[in-house]
């Protein structure tokens, strides 16, 4: 047993000597200078040695400065303040029910931008801006411009009218600027710049909408849009009275329908002026006069041309 122990000690000493020869036989590179303490050096580390690091932090061996204060959070080593509310705390039952009932927001939708560029209508429909309409119909540019209207419930300002006009341009497929100019000019004249929605002078039964079309057209228009409601009105009074005619007209006096009436008339009763390269040519005042007199059957006045010039100029900007 003593012999075995002695042999074991001799063998261990031999291995240590061999290992020392191997270590001493490896040349020390300039990057691993044996005279500099470090993990690859044979020089013992001084007791005050710390891993080289220029940034104090949770993964650094540099001690934190006494005034170090990292942001509070779940990945910070700083203690949480007493008033800290942990945002990842489990939701209450009420919050869970509220979240479950809320629809997932659609992040793919682009944000709506405020711009003076006309919005794009469906299928290439022409569109206008409020800035353009204010220049075209200046009497209704101010939001207070209906303050002294004789029939306040009929008067609307441009800020109210612009969306209804754009809806009508889209609905009836008006893609030509000249057609938009013509119908807006006609409506501005007939309604005295959105002041009236019904005919008051002389008060023809059933006449109205922003283009002041006669009852026969309002009746046709209303039957197209609201056939059931028109049937109810007609069933309640078979005498075709003034009240009945006015009741039918009143069905189409909402903003979208009223401002849409002029464009409906253009496409339904004056279709030879719609999308016709030889009619209502862009910037052609004679074509506008022809539309008013022949297409609509209305009387002509110089004031119509004054309004057309204003609208045509504004929508060119």
């Amino acid at each position: 047993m003593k012999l075995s122990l002695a042999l074991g000690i001799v063998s261990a000493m031999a291995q240590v000597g061999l290992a020392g020869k191997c270590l001493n036989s490896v040349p020390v590179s300039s990057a691993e200078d044996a005279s500099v303490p470090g993990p690859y050096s044979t020089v013992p580390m001084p007791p005050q040695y710390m891993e080289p690091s220029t940034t104090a932090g949770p993964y650094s061996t540099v001690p934190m400065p006494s005034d170090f204060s990292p942001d509070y959070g779940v990945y910070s080593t700083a203690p949480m303040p007493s008033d800290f509310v942990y945002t990842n705390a489990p939701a209450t039952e009420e919050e869970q029910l509220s979240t479950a009932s809320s629809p997932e927001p659609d992040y793919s939708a682009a944000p709506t931008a405020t711009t003076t560029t006309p919005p794009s209508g469906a299928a290439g429909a022409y569109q206008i801006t409020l800035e353009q309409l204010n220049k075209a119909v200046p009497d209704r540019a101010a939001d207070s411009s209906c303050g002294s209207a004789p029939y306040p419930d009929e008067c609307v300002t441009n800020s109210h009218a612009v969306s209804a006009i754009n809806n009508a341009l889209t609905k009836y497929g008006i893609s030509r600027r000249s057609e938009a100019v013509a119908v807006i000019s006609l409506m501005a004249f007939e309604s005295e710049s959105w002041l009236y929605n019904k005919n008051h002078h002389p008060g023809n039964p059933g006449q109205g909408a922003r283009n002041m079309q006669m009852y026969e057209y309002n009746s046709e228009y209303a039957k197209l849009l609201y056939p059931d409601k028109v049937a109810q009105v007609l069933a309640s009074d078979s005498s075709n009275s003034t009240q009945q005619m006015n009741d039918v007209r009143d069905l189409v006096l909402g903003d979208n329908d009223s401002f849409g009436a002029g464009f409906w008339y253009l496409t339904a009763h004056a279709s030879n002026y719609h999308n016709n390269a030889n009619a209502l040519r862009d910037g052609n005042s004679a074509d506008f006069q022809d539309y008013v007199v022949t297409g609509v059957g209305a009387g002509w006045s110089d004031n119509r041309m004054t309004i057309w010039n204003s609208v045509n100029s504004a929508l060119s900007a």
Side-chain angles (χ1 to χ4, degrees):
M1 184 174 180
K2 292 181 179 180
L3 179 60
S4 298
L5 179 59
L7 290 173
I9 292 173
V10 171
S11 176
M13 292 176 62
Q15 290 177 3
V16 169
L18 180 60
K21 290 180 180 180
C22 290
L23 286 172
N24 292 332
S25 65
V26 178
V28 178
S29 66
S30 60
E32 299 175 359
D33 188 350
S35 66
V36 179
Y40 301 104
S41 170
T42 57
V43 178
M45 295 287 190
Q48 76 275 16
Y49 178 78
M50 301 193 74
E51 185 75 22
S53 178
T54 59
T55 305
Y59 299 104
S60 169
T61 55
V62 176
M64 296 289 188
S66 59
D67 61 346
F68 179 76
S69 178
D71 292 337
Y72 293 107
V74 294
Y75 297 107
S76 169
T77 57
M80 295 294 186
S82 58
D83 60 348
F84 178 79
V85 179
Y86 184 51
T87 56
N88 287 334
T92 64
E93 182 178 354
E94 181 179 351
E95 290 172 337
Q96 291 175 346
L97 290 174
S98 175
T99 302
S101 61
S102 300
E104 183 70 15
D106 181 13
Y107 296 107
S108 63
T112 302
T114 302
T115 176
T116 57
T117 302
S120 177
Y126 186 81
Q127 301 279 268
I128 65 172
T129 66
L130 176 58
E131 182 181 3
Q132 289 175 320
L133 192 58
N134 283 340
K135 292 178 180 178
V137 188
D139 288 348
R140 296 292 166 262
D143 288 338
S144 59
S145 58
C146 286
S148 59
Y151 302 94
D153 60 326
E154 295 183 32
C155 183
V156 297
T157 62
N158 288 336
S159 62
H160 200 80
V162 65
S163 60
I165 292 173
N166 280 331
N167 289 340
L169 288 165
T170 297
K171 182 175 183 178
Y172 295 103
I174 308 300
S175 59
R176 295 201 302 162
R177 190 191 78 93
S178 58
E179 293 180 24
V181 170
V183 176
I184 292 173
S185 301
L186 176 76
M187 293 191 298
F189 174 85
E190 296 291 350
S191 67
E192 293 191 27
S193 300
W194 327 142
L195 188 62
Y196 300 106
N197 208 13
K198 303 174 184 178
N199 175 263
H200 294 282
H201 310 287
N204 294 322
Q207 183 180 1
R210 297 300 173 184
N211 63 336
M212 288 297 157
Q213 61 189 11
M214 301 301 288
Y215 172 72
E216 64 175 296
Y217 298 113
N218 275 327
S219 176
E220 180 184 345
Y221 187 45
K223 289 176 182 177
L224 176 67
L225 298 176
Y226 308 107
D228 293 340
K229 292 181 179 181
V230 172
Q232 291 175 4
V233 172
L234 297 180
S236 65
D237 184 355
S238 59
S239 64
N240 203 35
S241 65
T242 296
Q243 184 60 52
Q244 182 190 71
M245 297 169 73
N246 288 339
D247 288 345
V248 170
R249 173 204 59 199
D250 291 351
L251 294 174
V252 297
L253 296 187
D255 288 337
N256 285 330
D257 297 335
S258 187
F259 280 100
F263 297 103
W264 165 78
Y265 182 92
L266 169 65
T267 59
H269 288 280
S271 57
N272 54 315
Y273 292 87
H274 176 49
N275 288 337
N276 183 346
N278 296 316
L280 286 179
R281 290 165 293 186
D282 195 54
N284 193 313
S285 60
D287 281 6
F288 171 65
Q289 182 173 351
D290 176 59
Y291 175 69
V292 170
V293 175
T294 307
V296 177
W300 182 256
S301 72
D302 291 340
N303 193 32
R304 288 186 184 273
M305 185 56 66
T306 300
I307 293 175
W308 181 87
N309 284 328
S310 176
V311 176
N312 183 60
S313 176
L315 268 59
S316 296

